[in-house]
Structures are given as structure tokens and as C-alpha cells.
Amino acid sequence: ETGVTQSPTHLIKTRGQQVTLRCSSQSGHNTVSWYQQALGQGPQFIFQYYREEENGRGNFPPRFSGLQFPNYSSELNVNALELDDSALYLCASSFFSSRYGYTFGSGTRLTVV
Amino acid sequence: AQKVTQAQTEISVVEKEDVTLDCVYETRDTTYYLFWYKQPPSGELVFLIRRNSFDEQNEISGRYSWNFQKSTSSFNFTITASQVVDSAVYFCALSEEGSSNTGKLIFGQGTTLQVKP
């Protein structure tokens, strides 16, 4: 059983650029969530995808968007990067809802300069 | 409002000591789930335990134990005979199962545990 894999592991971007982060969910999981974790903080929920549609969103602006593909993998896109977007971005997969728990990937460390 | 509070920012113990990590939560839902995750320096969140709101039984798994008390809205985590490999950041998290459930996890700020040899 493969876990959640994220790519790339590290990324450096310039303010104003756009970035795409990728996530492959664990086998058998159909739901993907994305979290942003600033240094020294707990992860903050960005949004969740189920059946290729967004079905929940945290307090993040529209320049944070995502996709889920038929194989349940997912992308997180961030436009017009700001310095405050520098963080660890974590992807989590689950089977439908929280009652079954979540499996997290190792994250993508994004640095915006 | 949903909230998770981990009042202990950092804890330092010497190997073999017992240590308890505190977690207090707030929710209006009657059905919810509580989690503990461990985050080593590699960054991955490692799942430790999930508890639903209807199950107040305490749980022991090896050196780990959890004390869930709905009366005080607490879900504390104890490591017995701590080891250097236990050094990490530990997060308590809450997920609600209400009608508008998105399954999102609400995390506390985390407790950094340092176990010294």
C-alpha cells in the first residue's frame, strides 16, 4: 500500500509568480485535502476535493485553487505569490470523510523571495 | 466555534521520564473526531490515534496512552518512559461531522517535545 507522495519537495519562487504543487493520494482513498503550515504553526486547512470537485474551503483567497483528477491525485495552484505564502504545504488523503482518518504526505516546502 | 488549544509550546524531558501533552478543544457538534499526529523534522504528519466523540474509553498503545474527557473537553496524550526518538512536534486536531462537514482538520499550535539522553 503506497502512501501519499508530494512533489516537488522544495521550491523557490519569486513574488508574483505562479506555482503548482502535486499530490498522489494513498491507494483506496478518494478524498484529498491541502493544508498550509507556516513555520512554528499548526497546519491550516486550504480546501478539500471529493469526486473531482471542491467540497470545502478554508479562509484562503481565490488565488489558491486546486484540481482533483480521476485517479484521485491532486494539484494545488497558487497565483500571484506573496512572501507570506512561504510555508510547508501538506497534502492529505482519506476515504470520504474524517471518520476514517487521514494520511499525510511529507509536504512541499515553498519559499517565496 | 471550533478551536484546539495546546497550551504547552515546548517541553523538555530527560530520557525515561513520563511526559503528558495537553489538548483542549471547543466544538458545538455532538459528533466529532479527535486526532493526535507526530511531526518529525522530515515534515510528514504521522498519525497516532483517532477518537470519536462517543468513545470515552482511554487507550494504551505500547508506551503511548490517551485520556479523553468530554466533561473537560480534553484529549491528553502521555508518553511513558520517553525516548530520544520521541523528539518531535505533536499536534492535536479536531474534525467535525456536522451537516456541513468538509472533513477538515482543525489543528492546535503544536507542542515541541525534546527528549534528552
Side-chain angles (χ1 to χ4, degrees):
Chain A
E1 180 180 272
T2 57
V4 175
T5 57
Q6 293 186 241
S7 62
T9 54
H10 295 83
L11 203 51
I12 300 175
K13 288 287 190 177
T14 303
R15 190 170 48 183
Q17 285 187 316
Q18 178 266 344
V19 69
T20 297
L21 310 182
R22 295 180 174 81
C23 171
S24 294
S25 59
Q26 180 171 309
S27 175
H29 286 180
N30 57 13
T31 303
V32 176
S33 307
W34 286 90
Y35 290 80
Q36 181 195 66
Q37 186 180 15
L39 201 61
Q41 305 292 318
Q44 299 291 315
F45 176 75
I46 303 175
F47 43 55
Q48 177 173 280
Y49 278 82
Y50 171 65
R51 290 184 176 176
E52 302 177 48
E53 290 193 3
E54 183 183 298
N55 78 332
R57 189 177 186 92
N59 190 24
F60 281 82
R63 59 189 185 84
F64 284 78
S65 63
L67 286 172
Q68 185 183 32
F69 300 100
N71 66 354
Y72 306 123
S73 66
S74 176
E75 285 182 357
L76 164 64
N77 298 290
V78 186
N79 293 321
L81 285 167
E82 300 176 0
L83 297 179
D84 284 348
D85 295 333
S86 296
L88 179 67
Y89 288 84
L90 294 162
C91 171
S93 72
S94 62
F95 179 67
F96 183 58
S97 75
S98 55
R99 70 180 66 189
Y100 302 108
Y102 299 87
T103 302
F104 281 83
S106 297
T108 294
R109 173 73 62 188
L110 172 65
T111 302
V112 182
V113 298
Chain B
Q2 318 138 340
K3 188 178 179 182
V4 175
T5 302
Q6 293 179 253
Q8 303 150 309
T9 306
E10 291 184 23
I11 299 176
S12 181
V13 299
V14 176
E15 206 169 20
K16 297 184 183 178
E17 284 185 18
D18 298 347
V19 57
T20 295
L21 310 181
D22 297 333
C23 173
V24 175
Y25 62 92
E26 295 177 30
T27 177
R28 293 176 182 168
D29 273 22
T30 56
T31 303
Y32 52 90
Y33 299 87
L34 295 165
F35 301 78
W36 275 96
Y37 283 89
K38 174 182 179 179
Q39 188 174 44
S42 61
E44 181 178 355
L45 284 171
V46 178
F47 169 79
L48 297 176
I49 190 171
R50 178 182 71 252
R51 259 286 179 263
N52 73 54
S53 51
F54 298 108
D55 184 1
E56 285 193 72
Q57 269 192 328
N58 291 331
E59 182 159 335
I60 298 175
S61 176
R63 296 184 297 107
Y64 297 167
S65 62
W66 291 270
N67 182 0
F68 175 29
Q69 292 193 341
K70 287 179 73 173
S71 60
T72 56
S73 297
S74 65
F75 186 43
N76 296 337
F77 171 34
T78 297
I79 302 174
T80 302
S82 60
Q83 301 176 0
V84 173
V85 293
D86 295 328
S87 297
V89 182
Y90 290 85
F91 289 98
C92 179
L94 163 73
S95 180
E96 298 171 332
E97 196 76 5
S99 58
S100 60
N101 171 51
T102 62
K104 73 175 182 181
L105 286 169
I106 300 146
F107 285 86
Q109 293 288 82
T111 297
T112 300
L113 174 64
Q114 184 182 31
V115 182
K116 299 177 181 177

